[in-house]
């Protein structure tokens, strides 16, 4: 028996990388063409946020809830858990995230952020998750049918959620705390996914980690608050 220090992280994987990417192919084929509709819906949300629309923010956060629930059930529980039992725990966390997003969308103090740059960075992350993340499959030599799509695959869903939540502010300790918690759970998932991808030998692991670092840095520099000086009609249009 080989000494324990001779093992590499990849030796501890319970599945082959090709098996992992095949899960996305089966997932996409089963749900097509819903990913296209979801992308269009969140592009419309992004356009609303460009106009500082709080109703668009509420609608976007509410629409995120079924996305996280779908990933929890259809991908993590039904598919990923078959090759990685730890995915059952992740499925539970995603389900909790879905519930939290639904609660946050109804918080009376929820508003779009008064920081233009933070909103722009958030929208950039959302656009990255919607439009660019699926194209990574082609960049690394996988077929497009194995692409990770926002709202249906965990990584782009987490990254897009971080972007959308960067566009939000809330007053009151409960709503503000929930907003922070939801971002933290998405950041933790990005870190876990990065570790998994690196263990698989995929340099794609840098992508969720960079997105998480951006979201964390932006929130640290511009903490949650609602600009009380901003006229009400503009922020609630």
């Amino acid at each position: 028996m080989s000494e324990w220090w001779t093992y590499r992280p990849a030796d501890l994987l319970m599945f082959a990388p090709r098996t992992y990417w095949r899960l996305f192919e089966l997932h996409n084929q089963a749900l097509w063409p819903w990913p296209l509709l979801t992308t269009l819906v969140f592009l419309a949300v992004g356009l609303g946020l460009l106009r500082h629309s709080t109703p668009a923010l509420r609608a976007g956060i509410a629409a995120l809830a079924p996305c996280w629930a779908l990933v929890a059930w259809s991908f993590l529980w039904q598919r990923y858990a078959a090759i990685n039992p730890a995915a059952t725990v992740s499925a539970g966390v995603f389900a909790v995230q879905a519930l939290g997003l639904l609660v946050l969308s109804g918080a009376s103090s929820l508003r779009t952020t008064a920081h233009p740059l933070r909103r722009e960075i958030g929208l950039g992350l959302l656009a990255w998750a919607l439009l660019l993340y699926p194209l990574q499959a082609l960049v690394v030599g996988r077929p497009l049918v194995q692409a990770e799509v926002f709202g249906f695959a965990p990584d782009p869903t987490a990254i897009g959620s971080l972007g959308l939540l960067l566009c939000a502010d809330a007053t009151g300790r409960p709503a503000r705390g929930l907003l922070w918690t939801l971002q933290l759970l998405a950041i933790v998932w990005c870190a876990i996914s990065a570790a998994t991808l690196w263990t698989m030998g995929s340099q794609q692991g840098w992508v969720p980690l960079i997105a998480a670092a951006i979201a964390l840095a932006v929130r640290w520099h511009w903490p949650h608050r609602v600009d009380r000086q901003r006229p009400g009609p503009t922020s609630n249009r």
Side-chain angles (χ1 to χ4, degrees):
M1 182 176 179
S2 301
E3 291 79 359
W4 63 267
W5 58 82
T6 64
Y7 285 92
R8 298 171 302 167
D11 296 326
L12 304 178
L13 274 180
M14 294 178 288
F15 52 88
R18 64 187 302 176
T19 302
Y20 178 76
W21 299 120
R22 171 70 173 163
L23 294 180
F24 292 102
E25 180 176 346
L26 297 173
H27 190 54
N28 292 335
Q29 289 174 340
L31 296 173
W32 181 261
W34 289 107
L36 180 60
L37 178 61
T38 301
T39 299
L40 293 176
V41 167
F42 279 91
L43 283 175
V45 169
L47 290 175
L49 289 173
L50 282 174
R51 301 178 61 191
H52 205 274
S53 170
T54 293
L57 176 67
R58 290 183 182 277
I61 292 176
L64 280 177
C67 291
W68 281 77
L70 178 66
V71 173
W73 171 251
S74 184
F75 183 78
L76 295 173
W77 183 270
Q78 290 193 318
R79 291 180 171 82
Y80 193 24
I83 63 173
N84 182 7
T88 57
V89 177
S90 299
V93 173
F94 269 62
V96 170
Q97 181 85 340
L99 181 60
L101 288 164
L102 199 58
V103 172
L104 180 65
S105 68
S108 60
S109 65
L110 185 68
R111 298 289 186 274
T112 53
T113 180
H115 297 283
L117 184 56
R118 195 177 83 187
R119 188 171 65 251
E120 290 170 6
I121 293 173
L123 289 174
L125 285 177
L126 179 61
W128 178 7
L130 286 170
L131 304 175
L132 298 182
Y133 205 98
L135 299 180
Q136 287 184 143
L138 297 177
V139 173
V140 299
R142 300 196 314 272
L144 192 58
V145 71
Q146 293 184 356
E148 297 167 85
V149 182
F150 174 85
F152 297 86
D155 289 8
T157 302
I159 292 172
S161 298
L162 285 173
L164 191 55
L165 293 174
L166 279 179
C167 297
D169 267 322
T171 54
R173 184 172 297 177
R176 194 165 58 243
L178 179 59
L179 185 52
W180 268 110
T181 300
L182 295 174
Q183 289 181 100
L184 180 60
L185 289 176
I187 288 171
V188 169
W189 172 260
C190 288
I192 292 173
S193 179
T196 301
L197 291 168
W198 287 332
T199 302
M200 290 167 48
S202 173
Q203 293 303 310
Q204 189 175 317
W206 285 106
V207 178
L209 192 66
I210 290 173
I214 290 173
L216 195 59
V218 170
R219 274 302 187 189
W220 184 270
H221 188 68
W222 293 298
H224 296 280
R225 71 180 183 90
V226 173
D227 190 346
R228 301 179 184 275
Q229 303 301 316
R230 191 175 186 87
T234 304
S235 60
N236 288 282
R237 182 169 46 192

